[in-house]
PDB file of all heavy atoms in Angstrom:
ATOM      1  N   ASP A 343     -19.749  37.937  13.612  1.00  0.00           N
ATOM      2  CA  ASP A 343     -19.978  38.839  12.318  1.00  0.00           C
ATOM      3  C   ASP A 343     -18.930  38.815  11.357  1.00  0.00           C
ATOM      4  O   ASP A 343     -19.068  38.871  10.195  1.00  0.00           O
ATOM      5  CB  ASP A 343     -20.053  40.285  12.788  1.00  0.00           C
ATOM      6  CG  ASP A 343     -21.311  40.558  13.675  1.00  0.00           C
ATOM      7  OD1 ASP A 343     -22.397  39.938  13.386  1.00  0.00           O
ATOM      8  OD2 ASP A 343     -21.151  41.403  14.699  1.00  0.00           O
ATOM      9  N   GLU A 344     -17.648  38.305  11.810  1.00  0.00           N
ATOM     10  CA  GLU A 344     -16.519  38.481  10.917  1.00  0.00           C
ATOM     11  C   GLU A 344     -15.991  37.137  10.435  1.00  0.00           C
ATOM     12  O   GLU A 344     -15.132  37.075   9.600  1.00  0.00           O
ATOM     13  CB  GLU A 344     -15.364  39.087  11.662  1.00  0.00           C
ATOM     14  CG  GLU A 344     -15.740  40.523  12.145  1.00  0.00           C
ATOM     15  CD  GLU A 344     -14.611  41.275  12.876  1.00  0.00           C
ATOM     16  OE1 GLU A 344     -13.374  41.049  12.610  1.00  0.00           O
ATOM     17  OE2 GLU A 344     -14.868  41.955  13.839  1.00  0.00           O
ATOM     18  N   VAL A 345     -16.564  36.108  10.937  1.00  0.00           N
ATOM     19  CA  VAL A 345     -16.073  34.678  10.442  1.00  0.00           C
ATOM     20  C   VAL A 345     -17.429  33.957   9.904  1.00  0.00           C
ATOM     21  O   VAL A 345     -18.265  33.622  10.738  1.00  0.00           O
ATOM     22  CB  VAL A 345     -15.542  33.798  11.598  1.00  0.00           C
ATOM     23  CG1 VAL A 345     -15.114  32.517  11.088  1.00  0.00           C
ATOM     24  CG2 VAL A 345     -14.357  34.556  12.227  1.00  0.00           C
ATOM     25  N   SER A 346     -17.462  33.882   8.568  1.00  0.00           N
ATOM     26  CA  SER A 346     -18.713  33.198   8.018  1.00  0.00           C
ATOM     27  C   SER A 346     -18.507  31.765   7.814  1.00  0.00           C
ATOM     28  O   SER A 346     -17.423  31.185   7.553  1.00  0.00           O
ATOM     29  CB  SER A 346     -18.901  33.925   6.658  1.00  0.00           C
ATOM     30  OG  SER A 346     -17.965  33.657   5.777  1.00  0.00           O
ATOM     31  N   GLY A 347     -19.604  31.045   8.001  1.00  0.00           N
ATOM     32  CA  GLY A 347     -19.613  29.629   7.728  1.00  0.00           C
ATOM     33  C   GLY A 347     -19.119  28.687   8.893  1.00  0.00           C
ATOM     34  O   GLY A 347     -19.196  27.484   8.847  1.00  0.00           O
ATOM     35  N   VAL A 348     -18.541  29.393   9.879  1.00  0.00           N
ATOM     36  CA  VAL A 348     -18.054  28.521  11.036  1.00  0.00           C
ATOM     37  C   VAL A 348     -18.569  29.205  12.345  1.00  0.00           C
ATOM     38  O   VAL A 348     -18.487  30.263  12.594  1.00  0.00           O
ATOM     39  CB  VAL A 348     -16.489  28.594  10.996  1.00  0.00           C
ATOM     40  CG1 VAL A 348     -16.045  27.762  12.152  1.00  0.00           C
ATOM     41  CG2 VAL A 348     -15.868  28.030   9.772  1.00  0.00           C
ATOM     42  N   ASP A 349     -19.081  28.222  13.314  1.00  0.00           N
ATOM     43  CA  ASP A 349     -19.388  28.747  14.585  1.00  0.00           C
ATOM     44  C   ASP A 349     -18.254  28.604  15.516  1.00  0.00           C
ATOM     45  O   ASP A 349     -17.812  27.387  15.758  1.00  0.00           O
ATOM     46  CB  ASP A 349     -20.634  27.916  15.138  1.00  0.00           C
ATOM     47  CG  ASP A 349     -21.896  28.259  14.479  1.00  0.00           C
ATOM     48  OD1 ASP A 349     -21.979  29.352  14.065  1.00  0.00           O
ATOM     49  OD2 ASP A 349     -22.859  27.366  14.412  1.00  0.00           O
ATOM     50  N   VAL A 350     -17.684  29.599  15.995  1.00  0.00           N
ATOM     51  CA  VAL A 350     -16.572  29.560  16.890  1.00  0.00           C
ATOM     52  C   VAL A 350     -17.111  29.843  18.305  1.00  0.00           C
ATOM     53  O   VAL A 350     -17.530  30.905  18.726  1.00  0.00           O
ATOM     54  CB  VAL A 350     -15.607  30.672  16.630  1.00  0.00           C
ATOM     55  CG1 VAL A 350     -14.393  30.606  17.506  1.00  0.00           C
ATOM     56  CG2 VAL A 350     -15.050  30.559  15.144  1.00  0.00           C
ATOM     57  N   VAL A 351     -17.235  28.695  19.157  1.00  0.00           N
ATOM     58  CA  VAL A 351     -17.872  28.787  20.485  1.00  0.00           C
ATOM     59  C   VAL A 351     -16.868  28.645  21.623  1.00  0.00           C
ATOM     60  O   VAL A 351     -15.972  27.725  21.582  1.00  0.00           O
ATOM     61  CB  VAL A 351     -19.005  27.665  20.614  1.00  0.00           C
ATOM     62  CG1 VAL A 351     -20.119  27.969  19.476  1.00  0.00           C
ATOM     63  CG2 VAL A 351     -18.487  26.355  20.393  1.00  0.00           C
ATOM     64  N   PRO A 352     -17.021  29.266  22.743  1.00  0.00           N
ATOM     65  CA  PRO A 352     -16.168  29.131  23.781  1.00  0.00           C
ATOM     66  C   PRO A 352     -16.446  27.960  24.635  1.00  0.00           C
ATOM     67  O   PRO A 352     -17.617  27.459  24.638  1.00  0.00           O
ATOM     68  CB  PRO A 352     -16.371  30.482  24.645  1.00  0.00           C
ATOM     69  CG  PRO A 352     -17.777  30.826  24.305  1.00  0.00           C
ATOM     70  CD  PRO A 352     -17.987  30.311  22.982  1.00  0.00           C
ATOM     71  N   THR A 353     -15.446  27.521  25.400  1.00  0.00           N
ATOM     72  CA  THR A 353     -15.571  26.451  26.427  1.00  0.00           C
ATOM     73  C   THR A 353     -15.188  27.003  27.782  1.00  0.00           C
ATOM     74  O   THR A 353     -14.052  27.407  27.885  1.00  0.00           O
ATOM     75  CB  THR A 353     -15.016  25.189  25.969  1.00  0.00           C
ATOM     76  OG1 THR A 353     -15.496  24.680  24.615  1.00  0.00           O
ATOM     77  CG2 THR A 353     -15.192  24.110  26.988  1.00  0.00           C
ATOM     78  N   TRP A 354     -15.945  26.785  28.802  1.00  0.00           N
ATOM     79  CA  TRP A 354     -15.626  27.374  30.152  1.00  0.00           C
ATOM     80  C   TRP A 354     -14.749  26.358  30.843  1.00  0.00           C
ATOM     81  O   TRP A 354     -15.204  25.312  31.340  1.00  0.00           O
ATOM     82  CB  TRP A 354     -16.909  27.488  30.803  1.00  0.00           C
ATOM     83  CG  TRP A 354     -16.957  28.351  32.080  1.00  0.00           C
ATOM     84  CD1 TRP A 354     -16.852  29.711  32.143  1.00  0.00           C
ATOM     85  CD2 TRP A 354     -17.173  27.830  33.473  1.00  0.00           C
ATOM     86  NE1 TRP A 354     -17.097  30.118  33.509  1.00  0.00           N
ATOM     87  CE2 TRP A 354     -17.224  29.073  34.318  1.00  0.00           C
ATOM     88  CE3 TRP A 354     -17.314  26.610  33.912  1.00  0.00           C
ATOM     89  CZ2 TRP A 354     -17.321  28.866  35.706  1.00  0.00           C
ATOM     90  CZ3 TRP A 354     -17.425  26.490  35.390  1.00  0.00           C
ATOM     91  CH2 TRP A 354     -17.473  27.569  36.216  1.00  0.00           C
ATOM     92  N   ARG A 355     -13.373  26.556  30.877  1.00  0.00           N
ATOM     93  CA  ARG A 355     -12.509  25.598  31.464  1.00  0.00           C
ATOM     94  C   ARG A 355     -12.072  26.153  32.863  1.00  0.00           C
ATOM     95  O   ARG A 355     -11.286  27.215  33.034  1.00  0.00           O
ATOM     96  CB  ARG A 355     -11.256  25.588  30.613  1.00  0.00           C
ATOM     97  CG  ARG A 355     -10.091  24.658  31.138  1.00  0.00           C
ATOM     98  CD  ARG A 355     -10.260  23.246  30.628  1.00  0.00           C
ATOM     99  NE  ARG A 355      -9.329  22.412  31.181  1.00  0.00           N
ATOM    100  CZ  ARG A 355      -8.617  21.478  30.437  1.00  0.00           C
ATOM    101  NH1 ARG A 355      -8.873  21.278  29.082  1.00  0.00           N
ATOM    102  NH2 ARG A 355      -7.633  20.617  30.872  1.00  0.00           N
ATOM    103  N   ALA A 356     -12.567  25.490  33.894  1.00  0.00           N
ATOM    104  CA  ALA A 356     -12.538  25.937  35.300  1.00  0.00           C
ATOM    105  C   ALA A 356     -11.392  25.414  36.214  1.00  0.00           C
ATOM    106  O   ALA A 356     -11.473  25.460  37.343  1.00  0.00           O
ATOM    107  CB  ALA A 356     -13.857  25.795  35.931  1.00  0.00           C
ATOM    108  N   ASP A 357     -10.329  24.840  35.535  1.00  0.00           N
ATOM    109  CA  ASP A 357      -9.193  24.299  36.203  1.00  0.00           C
ATOM    110  C   ASP A 357      -8.675  25.139  37.362  1.00  0.00           C
ATOM    111  O   ASP A 357      -8.557  24.657  38.551  1.00  0.00           O
ATOM    112  CB  ASP A 357      -8.080  23.877  35.280  1.00  0.00           C
ATOM    113  CG  ASP A 357      -8.411  22.792  34.343  1.00  0.00           C
ATOM    114  OD1 ASP A 357      -9.585  22.730  34.063  1.00  0.00           O
ATOM    115  OD2 ASP A 357      -7.461  22.125  33.834  1.00  0.00           O
ATOM    116  N   ARG A 358      -8.429  26.359  37.072  1.00  0.00           N
ATOM    117  CA  ARG A 358      -7.664  27.284  38.038  1.00  0.00           C
ATOM    118  C   ARG A 358      -8.709  27.442  39.206  1.00  0.00           C
ATOM    119  O   ARG A 358      -8.204  27.739  40.324  1.00  0.00           O
ATOM    120  CB  ARG A 358      -7.376  28.609  37.383  1.00  0.00           C
ATOM    121  CG  ARG A 358      -6.284  28.451  36.533  1.00  0.00           C
ATOM    122  CD  ARG A 358      -5.472  29.888  36.289  1.00  0.00           C
ATOM    123  NE  ARG A 358      -6.338  30.951  35.790  1.00  0.00           N
ATOM    124  CZ  ARG A 358      -6.238  32.219  36.010  1.00  0.00           C
ATOM    125  NH1 ARG A 358      -5.208  32.660  36.885  1.00  0.00           N
ATOM    126  NH2 ARG A 358      -7.065  33.036  35.665  1.00  0.00           N
ATOM    127  N   ALA A 359      -9.941  27.397  39.004  1.00  0.00           N
ATOM    128  CA  ALA A 359     -10.895  27.677  40.170  1.00  0.00           C
ATOM    129  C   ALA A 359     -10.955  26.537  41.148  1.00  0.00           C
ATOM    130  O   ALA A 359     -11.091  26.688  42.253  1.00  0.00           O
ATOM    131  CB  ALA A 359     -12.388  27.869  39.584  1.00  0.00           C
ATOM    132  N   VAL A 360     -10.729  25.320  40.560  1.00  0.00           N
ATOM    133  CA  VAL A 360     -11.003  24.117  41.439  1.00  0.00           C
ATOM    134  C   VAL A 360      -9.684  23.740  42.030  1.00  0.00           C
ATOM    135  O   VAL A 360      -9.679  23.208  43.163  1.00  0.00           O
ATOM    136  CB  VAL A 360     -11.364  22.958  40.494  1.00  0.00           C
ATOM    137  CG1 VAL A 360     -11.370  21.514  41.222  1.00  0.00           C
ATOM    138  CG2 VAL A 360     -12.803  23.151  39.873  1.00  0.00           C
ATOM    139  N   LYS A 361      -8.555  24.031  41.488  1.00  0.00           N
ATOM    140  CA  LYS A 361      -7.240  23.535  42.100  1.00  0.00           C
ATOM    141  C   LYS A 361      -6.768  24.492  43.132  1.00  0.00           C
ATOM    142  O   LYS A 361      -5.818  25.157  42.975  1.00  0.00           O
ATOM    143  CB  LYS A 361      -6.256  23.414  40.880  1.00  0.00           C
ATOM    144  CG  LYS A 361      -6.649  22.311  39.972  1.00  0.00           C
ATOM    145  CD  LYS A 361      -5.629  22.078  38.732  1.00  0.00           C
ATOM    146  CE  LYS A 361      -6.165  21.059  37.848  1.00  0.00           C
ATOM    147  NZ  LYS A 361      -5.286  20.844  36.693  1.00  0.00           N
ATOM    148  N   ILE A 362      -7.444  24.415  44.346  1.00  0.00           N
ATOM    149  CA  ILE A 362      -7.167  25.288  45.450  1.00  0.00           C
ATOM    150  C   ILE A 362      -5.830  25.033  46.005  1.00  0.00           C
ATOM    151  O   ILE A 362      -5.214  25.972  46.719  1.00  0.00           O
ATOM    152  CB  ILE A 362      -8.162  25.090  46.483  1.00  0.00           C
ATOM    153  CG1 ILE A 362      -8.186  26.372  47.435  1.00  0.00           C
ATOM    154  CG2 ILE A 362      -8.113  23.835  47.218  1.00  0.00           C
ATOM    155  CD1 ILE A 362      -9.399  26.319  48.423  1.00  0.00           C
ATOM    156  N   ASP A 363      -5.249  23.932  45.787  1.00  0.00           N
ATOM    157  CA  ASP A 363      -3.766  23.546  46.286  1.00  0.00           C
ATOM    158  C   ASP A 363      -2.673  24.138  45.592  1.00  0.00           C
ATOM    159  O   ASP A 363      -1.551  24.079  45.993  1.00  0.00           O
ATOM    160  CB  ASP A 363      -3.613  22.006  46.474  1.00  0.00           C
ATOM    161  CG  ASP A 363      -3.831  21.377  45.204  1.00  0.00           C
ATOM    162  OD1 ASP A 363      -4.710  21.849  44.292  1.00  0.00           O
ATOM    163  OD2 ASP A 363      -3.275  20.351  44.959  1.00  0.00           O
ATOM    164  N   ARG A 364      -3.056  24.767  44.297  1.00  0.00           N
ATOM    165  CA  ARG A 364      -1.871  25.238  43.481  1.00  0.00           C
ATOM    166  C   ARG A 364      -1.612  26.582  43.842  1.00  0.00           C
ATOM    167  O   ARG A 364      -2.410  27.442  44.212  1.00  0.00           O
ATOM    168  CB  ARG A 364      -2.289  25.196  42.011  1.00  0.00           C
ATOM    169  CG  ARG A 364      -2.726  23.768  41.574  1.00  0.00           C
ATOM    170  CD  ARG A 364      -1.492  22.890  41.471  1.00  0.00           C
ATOM    171  NE  ARG A 364      -1.807  21.691  41.072  1.00  0.00           N
ATOM    172  CZ  ARG A 364      -1.898  21.211  39.696  1.00  0.00           C
ATOM    173  NH1 ARG A 364      -1.607  22.090  38.754  1.00  0.00           N
ATOM    174  NH2 ARG A 364      -2.138  19.900  39.442  1.00  0.00           N
ATOM    175  N   PRO A 365      -0.294  27.136  43.720  1.00  0.00           N
ATOM    176  CA  PRO A 365       0.054  28.483  43.952  1.00  0.00           C
ATOM    177  C   PRO A 365      -0.618  29.496  43.294  1.00  0.00           C
ATOM    178  O   PRO A 365      -0.838  30.567  43.688  1.00  0.00           O
ATOM    179  CB  PRO A 365       1.568  28.433  43.657  1.00  0.00           C
ATOM    180  CG  PRO A 365       2.091  26.943  43.774  1.00  0.00           C
ATOM    181  CD  PRO A 365       0.797  26.197  43.269  1.00  0.00           C
ATOM    182  N   GLU A 366      -0.968  29.183  42.043  1.00  0.00           N
ATOM    183  CA  GLU A 366      -1.711  30.014  41.101  1.00  0.00           C
ATOM    184  C   GLU A 366      -3.165  30.323  41.511  1.00  0.00           C
ATOM    185  O   GLU A 366      -3.843  31.162  40.915  1.00  0.00           O
ATOM    186  CB  GLU A 366      -1.492  29.705  39.664  1.00  0.00           C
ATOM    187  CG  GLU A 366      -2.100  28.359  39.294  1.00  0.00           C
ATOM    188  CD  GLU A 366      -1.015  27.207  39.338  1.00  0.00           C
ATOM    189  OE1 GLU A 366      -0.156  27.331  40.153  1.00  0.00           O
ATOM    190  OE2 GLU A 366      -1.365  26.224  38.675  1.00  0.00           O
ATOM    191  N   TRP A 367      -3.658  29.479  42.439  1.00  0.00           N
ATOM    192  CA  TRP A 367      -5.145  29.632  42.732  1.00  0.00           C
ATOM    193  C   TRP A 367      -5.612  31.084  43.263  1.00  0.00           C
ATOM    194  O   TRP A 367      -6.505  31.590  42.834  1.00  0.00           O
ATOM    195  CB  TRP A 367      -5.536  28.579  43.753  1.00  0.00           C
ATOM    196  CG  TRP A 367      -7.056  28.652  44.163  1.00  0.00           C
ATOM    197  CD1 TRP A 367      -8.038  28.037  43.528  1.00  0.00           C
ATOM    198  CD2 TRP A 367      -7.592  29.251  45.265  1.00  0.00           C
ATOM    199  NE1 TRP A 367      -9.227  28.408  44.062  1.00  0.00           N
ATOM    200  CE2 TRP A 367      -9.058  29.054  45.205  1.00  0.00           C
ATOM    201  CE3 TRP A 367      -7.097  30.035  46.266  1.00  0.00           C
ATOM    202  CZ2 TRP A 367      -9.918  29.561  46.210  1.00  0.00           C
ATOM    203  CZ3 TRP A 367      -8.015  30.537  47.258  1.00  0.00           C
ATOM    204  CH2 TRP A 367      -9.394  30.342  47.239  1.00  0.00           C
ATOM    205  N   THR A 368      -4.620  31.663  44.102  1.00  0.00           N
ATOM    206  CA  THR A 368      -4.916  32.949  44.544  1.00  0.00           C
ATOM    207  C   THR A 368      -4.976  33.986  43.502  1.00  0.00           C
ATOM    208  O   THR A 368      -5.729  34.980  43.543  1.00  0.00           O
ATOM    209  CB  THR A 368      -3.882  33.399  45.708  1.00  0.00           C
ATOM    210  OG1 THR A 368      -2.572  33.225  45.230  1.00  0.00           O
ATOM    211  CG2 THR A 368      -4.017  32.501  46.995  1.00  0.00           C
ATOM    212  N   ALA A 369      -4.138  33.744  42.539  1.00  0.00           N
ATOM    213  CA  ALA A 369      -4.104  34.737  41.395  1.00  0.00           C
ATOM    214  C   ALA A 369      -5.429  34.644  40.595  1.00  0.00           C
ATOM    215  O   ALA A 369      -6.072  35.686  40.156  1.00  0.00           O
ATOM    216  CB  ALA A 369      -2.920  34.440  40.453  1.00  0.00           C
ATOM    217  N   PHE A 370      -6.000  33.395  40.535  1.00  0.00           N
ATOM    218  CA  PHE A 370      -7.287  33.229  39.929  1.00  0.00           C
ATOM    219  C   PHE A 370      -8.294  33.925  40.705  1.00  0.00           C
ATOM    220  O   PHE A 370      -9.127  34.639  40.039  1.00  0.00           O
ATOM    221  CB  PHE A 370      -7.607  31.825  39.723  1.00  0.00           C
ATOM    222  CG  PHE A 370      -9.024  31.580  39.206  1.00  0.00           C
ATOM    223  CD1 PHE A 370      -9.300  31.605  37.899  1.00  0.00           C
ATOM    224  CD2 PHE A 370     -10.043  31.339  40.163  1.00  0.00           C
ATOM    225  CE1 PHE A 370     -10.683  31.525  37.425  1.00  0.00           C
ATOM    226  CE2 PHE A 370     -11.388  31.124  39.599  1.00  0.00           C
ATOM    227  CZ  PHE A 370     -11.584  31.279  38.333  1.00  0.00           C
ATOM    228  N   VAL A 371      -8.305  33.971  41.942  1.00  0.00           N
ATOM    229  CA  VAL A 371      -9.387  34.578  42.828  1.00  0.00           C
ATOM    230  C   VAL A 371      -9.301  36.105  42.424  1.00  0.00           C
ATOM    231  O   VAL A 371     -10.358  36.821  42.230  1.00  0.00           O
ATOM    232  CB  VAL A 371      -9.180  34.280  44.283  1.00  0.00           C
ATOM    233  CG1 VAL A 371     -10.116  35.168  45.034  1.00  0.00           C
ATOM    234  CG2 VAL A 371      -9.295  32.886  44.535  1.00  0.00           C
TER     235      VAL A 371
END
Side-chain angles (χ1 to χ4, degrees):
D343 296 321
E344 299 178 35
V345 181
S346 62
V348 183
D349 287 335
V350 183
V351 298
T353 301
W354 195 77
R355 178 91 180 221
D357 292 28
R358 288 205 300 155
V360 172
K361 296 178 179 179
I362 195 171
D363 55 327
R364 299 292 178 87
E366 59 269 23
W367 182 82
T368 54
F370 173 78
V371 174

